[in-house]
Every structure is written in C-alpha cells, then in structure tokens.
Amino acid sequence: MTPDTLFQYVPSPATLVKKEKLSDFVTLFTFQPDNGKALMHKPGQFIMVSVYGVGEAPFSVSSPPNATGSTFELAVRRIGNVTNAMHNMREGQKVGIRGPYGSSFPVQDFVGKDTLFVAGGLGYIPLRSLLHYQLRHRDEFGRIIVMIGCRNPAERIFVDQIKELEAREDVEVYETVDCGDDNWCGNVGLITTLLPKIYIEPDITHVAMVGPPVMYKFVIQECRNLGISRESIYVSLERHMKCGIGKCGHCQINGLNACVEGPVFKYHDIQTTPEAL
Amino acid sequence: MTSYTVYMDQLPGLLELWAREFQVHVPVEVENGIYDFVPWRKSEEIAWEYDVAYNPLKRFFLPPRETLLRFDPANCTAEVVCEAPRQLIFGMHPYDVKAANQLDTLMRKDVPDYNFITRKKNTVIFALEPAAVARNAFWASVDAHKVDAGYDLYWTRISSASFHVEVSTRRGKELLLAAGGLELSTAADREAARRAHQRIVKESLRDGLKYPWRETSDILNRAWDSTLWQHRARHCFSCGTCNLVCPTCYCFDMKEELDNTLTKGERYREWDGCMMDSFSRVAGDHNFRPHTRERFRHRYYRKGKYILDKTGQLGCVGCGRCVSGCTSGIADPKTVFNELWEADRHDS
Ligand SMILES: Cc1cc2nc3c(=O)[nH]c(=O)nc-3n(C[C@H](O)[C@H](O)[C@H](O)COP(=O)(O)OP(=O)(O)OC[C@H]3O[C@@H](n4cnc5c(N)ncnc54)[C@H](O)[C@@H]3O)c2cc1C
Ligand code: SF4
Ligand code: SF4
Ligand code: FES
C-alpha cells in the first residue's frame, strides 16, 4: 500500500492566519498548511477540517486554486459543533485538514464561454473559487454573469467584494433577497425572478449553480426555458459527509457517492437520478 | 485441488497449535438455538451444525467501533491507529465468506481502506459447509452457497468423526499440516463432501428468490414509485437493526473522544445505518430521506441495485439475519424482491 492509502484518514495541520467576519453567522478563515505546500484544489472541491476533540466536517474551498502562495480560504457558517469551535478559534491556532476531495467545475470547459453563476445563500462560497479563477484569467472567458440570492439582507456575505464586482465593467452582478428590509433597495423575490431579466445566449452559456436543496429544480427549469442545454449546467450537491472518500455511505445519492463522483455534477448526468435534485 | 481427511480427534491438537499464533474464534450455541462466534477455549463445544451466527462476521474486519487516529489536540497532530490482530475464524459459512469478499471489493475501491484491508489480511478463514439452514435464510437462491476465494480451507463434515478439508491457500495448507500426519482424502470422502453440499443447497433452495437474482437491478429500475415502499415502511421503527446485523452493510459514522486530561484523544468509526433518521440530515436541518419509506427503499436499492451495478454481485447474501432481527417483520429482502418481481411481471 502506498503512503497515501496508509494516511487516508490522517489530517495534516494548518494554521489559522486570518479571520474575517462576513455576516452574523458566517466567517471567512484563511489557513496556511504547516507543510508550506499549496492545497492544489480545483474550484468546487472540498476539504475535511478537523478540530480535534470536537470533530471533523467538510467545507468547500472558497479561494481560487492557489497558483502562488499556499494559503486558502474557507467561509464557514456557525451551525453546530465543529463550526462553533472554528468560530471560537484565534489566529495562530491550528486545525487538521485532509483533501482536497471530490469533483470540480471543469475549468477548461468554461474557457471561451459565457458563465452564469447562480448562488443561493452560502452557495456563493464554493462558486467564489471558480469566479475568482475566471477573474484572474479574465481574457480566457466570455461574459461573467453573477446572480446571488439570499433570504434577507443581513445574511448577505462577501458584501464588500460583491460591491467591488459590481463596480467592474467586465462582470454583471444581480442580487436579490427573499425579504427586504428598510435599507434594501435592490430586487426582492426568489432567485428565479432574476433570470428572465437578463439576456443570455444559451448556446455559449455555461451555468454553475450552488444553493439550498430547494433552489435547484426551479432554477434549472428557468435555465432550460432560456434554452440552455443540460450539458451546460453544473450543480454542486451537498450531502452529509463523514469520510470524504466513498466509504461511509452517508453522502449517497442513489448509486452515486457525492464525495467522490460529486459534489459537482453535470445536470445532464443526474437529471434522471432520483434523490439528486 | 488438494484435500485432506481430518478426524475429529485430531482437532483439539490442531486448535491448540493455531491458538498459539492466532486468536481463534469458533461458533458455539450461546443460548438455546442461538449461535455466535466466540473466542475458542478448550472447554468450548463447537457448534458444527449451527445454522447462522447471530452477529454478522463483518465485525472481525470492521469492528462495531474502531479507532482510526490518535491525536494530540494541543499540537494538532495525529497518527494512524491500525489494530489488526492475527485471528483465525473457524467455521464461517460460505454466504458469510461471500459477504466478506464483497466488503473487501468495496473497501478497496477508489481510496483503499487501510484498516479494513490489514485486518482482513491478518485473518485466516476456515470456511465450513453449513449443516443446517436457518429459518429465514435463502442463500442458495442468491448463489451464496458457493465461494471460490476468500478462505484458506473449506471444511465439510462428512461423518460424525471426520471432515473433508479442501485447501485453498498455502497459508491454509501449512496450518492444516502443522501437526503433520494427515491423510489425503479418498474419492469416497470427496463424494461424501459433494453430497453434503448438495443436500444442504437443496434445503436452502426450498424458499428464496423466485427469479434469477441478476434481474434485481432491472426490477428495481422500474420500482422506484412502487406502493410497496410505503406499505411496508409504515411499520418501520427506524431502529437500524437490519443494517447492523447485515454482513454486507458497512456504513459508518466518525466520532471522537478526548481523554480526561484533555491532552490526548482518539477518532473512531462506528457502525451506522441508513435506516436511521439522522443518517442523511445535513446542515440547515434538511434531510434527504426524511420518511421511513425513502430510507426503506434506499436500503433495498443498495442491496439490489447499487452494489450489484458496482460489483456484479447482489448486496444481499441471503443469511436472513435482518429478517430475524426486525421486530416489525418487514425487513425481508426476499419477500420484498419477490413482490416487486411479481408486480413487474403483471405490468409488462
Ligand atoms: C461538500 C460540502 C461542502 C460544504 N461547504 C461548506 C462551506 O463552505 N461552508 C459552510 O459553512 N458549510 C459547508 N458545508 C456544510 C458543513 O459541512 C456543515 O455545516 C458542517 O458539517 C456542520 O458541522 P458541525 O460540527 O458544526 O455541525 P453539527 O453539530 O455536527 O450539526 C449541525 C448540523 O449540520 C449537519 N451536519 C453535520 N455534519 C455534517 C456533514 N459532515 N455534512 C453535512 N452536514 C452535516 C447536521 O446534520 C446538523 O443539521 C459543506 C458541506 C458539504 C457536504
Ligand atoms: S426495517 Fe425493521 S429492523 Fe430495519 S429499521 Fe425498520 S423496524 Fe428496524
Ligand atoms: S440484507 Fe438481510 S438477508 Fe441479506 S445479507 Fe443483509 S442481513 Fe442477510
Ligand atoms: S462521505 Fe463517506 S461515502 Fe461520501
């Protein structure tokens, strides 16, 4: 057996170098692997993070593939044991990481195409990796259209970065919230209400979509109405994950393991898979 | 293939020899009519005629709880733990060997599971031809009455005083001949073994799947919306017993514990089951299989389709443990599959 297999469940240490609050519940963590090596992840992949004594949980890497330097970013919502422990960490403290795991958005397939990003709530976290990759190699890609939907303005994340995006001429940003508040003067309504408002060339548009389970069916339907093919729609599906390597069975979507064959799937490949969407 | 005749009175000596090197486990009657594998001791009476071991034998390769890592939370370091005792399981029925082989295939897939593989490698398996069929078993109808690998020796009781023993591996042969002086089997003994096999297979076939098991995947392809799922699962307690007793179920949860000084801890895996309500719940409290009918269906798809599609083998070896273990009396794969097959026949 190769050393890789021997250490299948052994995390390696990484140090928290920066912590930045994104919303009441979401914080952006910057980690530096202690071995100094870049994570070498692809957009859409996830890693398993260990807070020893508390547990381990999967998180999408939110930063683009690290061409330079070895830090990477995770945006984490405080929801339970591991995520609470992470939120209580101070800079300089360490976690264990293993991965990256799973499939990714096939970056090469997006080259020369327009990309429509559809991010529901925390779905922006994994999509940000692909988005920032494309921004870094802006010339290789066509239009970049970003749609972001949130339950309410308080839950918006990466607010400043999104403002910067909006200011750019080479990116189109559309935001909506399910319910507004007194200060919100943007669009109100589900994310599906944004789609009919934009002009899309279906033949050259790829869609990258991540959001809460309820979102997919409706958005895919809208995309299909616009004439986008099943082959050009990519979704990332979140499931309970315990091992990350296709063994524990928790992440099964029908016969597929979301941790190995996913989390990123081409819609065409799972459209008839029950329990997927 | 080489085979030997071993007499009952030669066994105590052999067992003692083996026990010096291995933790030997044998089937015994633990309670009236209930059999299980226990560590061998001289005084232990081996239940050669046992019908099924109460607990699944996967526990020898995938223990109910197994430590995978020991960690030091202060320095954030961890090291692999792999406890793989040298063990000898004497008396494993072919369907259970088959189940272990299937786990082996799945555990080697993609990223191989080091702990499982090491445990399996350190385990000597002496298969035993069943002499009785458990009330709820149907292994012959799913082709689990024969295995061609995954064991070191194959034992068949051919008389009250003798066994026919077929050698499968060099390790098996060495262990068998450890005390020297065994006779090669005679044609008559081989014939007796063949007949013993035939008799028991016939008995196992008295009840079982009514169609060739390979068709199960196709039948399930058309059964997603069957009313059977709701019908049966209505009575399900989501207790997960059917998962836990199944020799081919291998899903697990990961947990960890700190010692009382909080300076050291270990991460372990523990058997888990897809019939349990929490199994596929994710953050935000969304559950991908919230109803018993969905979990019930998932279990049968896993047995009858997903594993079959992946490995070419049915994910059920027909041991009948789940049937006996289910308080509600609904967890019988053969009844479920037969019913779906009947319905399918009427539809098409
Ligand atoms: C591929 C993938 C990528 C993810 N990316 C992110 C991300 O970038 N940012 C983020 O904030 N969250 C992400 N999540 C969700 C995150 O894994 C869960 O919020 C986290 O596991 C909760 O851990 P906990 O110990 O804090 O919660 P717990 O105290 O264990 O439980 C809180 C809730 O989380 C659910 N949960 C627990 N463990 C898991 C698990 N292993 N997988 C899924 N749900 C679980 C529980 O069912 C419960 O509803 C991702 C999940 C997956 C599968
Ligand atoms: S089918 Fe039976 S054994 Fe399985 S979870 Fe339901 S009640 Fe328990
Ligand atoms: S599903 Fe039931 S009968 Fe089939 S192998 Fe598992 S426990 Fe045995
Ligand atoms: S997370 Fe364990 S099988 Fe996918």
Side-chain angles (χ1 to χ4, degrees):
Chain A
M1 258 171 274
T2 64
D4 263 9
T5 25
L6 183 57
F7 300 121
Q8 85 248 26
Y9 293 120
V10 188
S12 47
T15 305
L16 176 61
V17 292
K18 202 167 141 214
K19 210 176 144 187
E20 188 187 327
K21 201 171 156 175
L22 295 179
S23 75
D24 284 350
F25 294 100
V26 184
T27 296
L28 181 68
F29 297 86
T30 309
F31 287 103
Q32 162 95 54
D34 287 10
N35 63 14
K37 286 192 192 144
L39 199 56
M40 304 298 284
H41 70 287
K42 301 184 190 106
Q45 283 192 305
F46 66 96
I47 61 169
M48 298 296 290
V49 175
S50 288
V51 180
Y52 291 114
V54 182
E56 195 181 33
F59 300 98
S60 310
V61 185
S62 186
S63 45
N66 22 10
T68 53
S70 56
T71 59
F72 64 90
E73 293 167 343
L74 305 178
V76 175
R77 178 169 57 144
R78 185 195 269 268
I79 186 156
N81 302 331
V82 174
T83 49
N84 266 329
M86 288 173 78
H87 277 252
N88 293 337
M89 279 174 66
R90 276 164 312 197
E91 285 164 17
Q93 285 188 296
K94 292 177 196 296
V95 293
I97 55 166
R98 57 190 182 96
Y101 293 130
S103 63
S104 55
F105 293 103
V107 177
Q108 287 314 310
D109 289 3
F110 286 72
V111 170
K113 300 271 176 20
D114 293 355
T115 308
L116 170 62
F117 290 87
V118 184
L122 298 184
Y124 186 76
I125 297 170
L127 285 177
R128 180 171 170 261
S129 181
L130 178 65
L131 172 63
H132 283 234
Y133 176 86
Q134 293 195 347
L135 294 176
R136 241 188 227 166
H137 304 86
R138 189 64 191 89
D139 299 346
E140 294 174 29
F141 301 92
R143 278 170 76 194
I144 296 180
I145 310 157
V146 185
M147 287 187 176
I148 305 168
C150 256
R151 264 191 296 207
N152 53 58
E155 287 189 13
R156 294 164 70 222
I157 51 173
F158 292 108
V159 178
D160 294 339
Q161 288 188 15
I162 288 164
K163 218 176 271 164
E164 282 168 32
L165 276 185
E166 278 169 334
R168 288 175 73 137
E169 300 219 318
D170 57 353
V171 182
E172 299 155 51
V173 181
Y174 302 88
E175 253 192 293
T176 186
V177 293
D178 298 352
C179 301
D181 61 15
D182 292 349
N183 299 323
W184 180 251
C185 39
N187 194 76
V188 176
L190 297 177
I191 199 159
T192 36
T193 60
L194 290 176
L195 274 154
K197 295 188 178 168
I198 52 163
Y199 169 72
I200 279 173
E201 280 182 79
D203 297 341
I204 56 162
T205 302
H206 272 1
V207 180
M209 185 183 320
V210 191
V214 290
M215 186 189 91
Y216 293 96
K217 242 182 248 167
F218 300 103
V219 178
I220 289 171
Q221 193 50 50
E222 281 297 327
C223 291
R224 299 283 298 134
N225 292 345
L226 293 173
I228 300 171
S229 85
R230 295 184 178 93
E231 294 276 355
S232 310
I233 301 175
Y234 297 86
V235 295
S236 176
L237 303 182
E238 188 179 305
R239 290 296 186 273
H240 207 116
M241 289 184 185
K242 291 290 180 176
C243 71
I245 55 170
K247 300 286 183 260
C248 74
H250 279 268
C251 70
Q252 276 223 322
I253 302 177
N254 240 258
L256 303 168
N257 281 322
C259 64
V260 177
E261 281 116 322
V264 178
F265 295 95
K266 195 185 265 199
Y267 173 55
H268 178 265
D269 298 336
I270 51 154
Q271 55 170 333
T272 57
T273 306
E275 291 184 345
L277 296 172
Chain B
M1 221 176 280
T2 330
S3 54
Y4 294 86
T5 303
V6 179
Y7 294 94
M8 202 57 110
D9 57 12
Q10 292 173 308
L11 266 180
L14 281 170
L15 279 160
E16 239 166 83
L17 268 183
W18 299 332
R20 279 186 213 156
E21 211 185 321
F22 298 94
Q23 295 176 12
V24 179
H25 300 266
V26 294
V28 302
E29 187 166 12
V30 288
E31 256 177 68
N32 210 359
I34 297 180
Y35 303 94
D36 209 357
F37 275 70
V38 301
W40 173 79
R41 278 171 304 159
K42 249 192 212 161
S43 55
E44 212 71 77
E45 194 178 331
I46 300 178
W48 299 110
E49 319 247 301
Y50 85 96
D51 53 4
V52 65
Y54 188 76
N55 284 306
L57 303 188
K58 65 182 175 189
R59 69 180 188 275
F60 292 111
F61 320 111
L62 185 70
R65 173 182 165 152
E66 179 181 22
T67 303
L68 298 174
L69 295 179
R70 244 174 236 123
F71 56 78
D72 166 359
N75 295 313
C76 204
T77 51
E79 58 184 48
V80 198
V81 179
C82 179
E83 281 153 12
R86 287 166 62 77
Q87 49 191 2
L88 188 158
I89 319 295
F90 189 10
M92 205 158 163
H93 283 167
Y95 53 84
D96 273 339
V97 177
K98 198 147 185 168
N101 289 350
Q102 185 173 100
L103 288 186
D104 198 86
T105 307
L106 291 162
M107 285 305 214
R108 280 174 194 275
K109 223 178 153 290
D110 300 320
V111 185
D113 190 284
Y114 179 73
N115 290 57
F116 180 94
I117 293 169
T118 313
R119 273 179 176 273
K120 186 97 197 316
K121 204 168 63 192
N122 282 359
T123 307
V124 173
I125 294 180
F126 291 174
L128 173 70
E129 186 73 74
V133 180
R135 192 160 53 92
N136 294 315
F138 53 97
W139 34 265
S141 77
V142 294
D143 264 346
H145 56 288
K146 51 177 197 269
V147 271
D148 44 23
Y151 56 89
D152 296 273
L153 296 173
Y154 198 102
W155 296 63
T156 308
R157 185 116 181 242
I158 49 173
S159 77
S160 57
S162 63
F163 293 89
H164 170 260
V165 185
E166 200 174 281
V167 170
S168 174
T169 66
R170 203 169 74 191
R171 181 171 66 172
K173 185 170 178 175
E174 281 167 8
L175 286 168
L176 186 65
L177 300 181
L182 286 184
E183 295 165 22
L184 281 171
S185 61
T186 61
D189 289 350
R190 283 195 293 277
E191 176 58 16
R194 201 184 58 80
R195 265 187 276 121
H197 178 70
Q198 261 182 341
R199 180 188 70 78
I200 201 69
V201 170
K202 202 166 146 212
E203 194 181 326
S204 167
L205 280 173
R206 74 187 168 205
D207 186 18
L209 280 199
K210 294 181 182 162
Y211 61 89
W213 59 265
R214 278 175 213 281
E215 287 172 23
T216 313
S217 178
D218 280 344
I219 294 169
L220 288 177
N221 274 341
R222 296 184 287 269
W224 189 259
D225 297 319
S226 165
T227 49
L228 174 142
W229 310 121
Q230 173 61 20
H231 253 324
R232 297 211 136 223
R234 233 184 7 221
H235 308 290
C236 176
F237 299 119
S238 299
C239 64
T241 305
C242 49
N243 296 133
L244 300 184
V245 299
C246 180
T248 64
C249 272
Y250 61 96
C251 288
F252 56 83
D253 195 0
M254 292 273 227
K255 295 183 175 168
E256 59 194 54
E257 241 167 44
L258 281 171
D259 71 358
N260 45 17
T261 66
L262 304 183
T263 56
K264 280 197 294 293
E266 54 181 48
R267 181 170 295 166
Y268 57 93
R269 64 175 161 201
E270 209 168 61
W271 291 352
D272 203 350
C274 60
M275 295 302 289
M276 254 101 74
D277 159 62
S278 58
F279 191 80
S280 29
R281 185 177 304 149
V282 300
D285 254 359
H286 190 85
N287 194 339
F288 286 93
R289 286 181 221 107
H291 306 109
T292 45
R293 76 163 177 276
E294 290 144 1
R295 299 196 286 276
F296 191 78
R297 176 173 60 194
H298 178 76
R299 173 163 174 262
Y300 291 93
Y301 269 72
R302 182 115 169 159
K303 302 281 162 217
K305 178 168 167 58
Y306 309 149
I307 288 179
L308 180 55
D309 292 350
K310 244 179 219 157
T311 65
Q313 292 174 13
L314 198 68
C316 166
V317 295
C319 68
R321 287 182 177 96
C322 58
V323 193
S324 318
C326 178
T327 332
S328 252
I330 52 169
D332 187 353
K334 105 186 148 267
T335 323
V336 168
F337 291 147
N338 280 341
E339 247 177 75
L340 292 173
W341 172 73
E342 296 273 7
D344 201 48
R345 268 204 319 180
H346 289 302
D347 286 353
S348 52

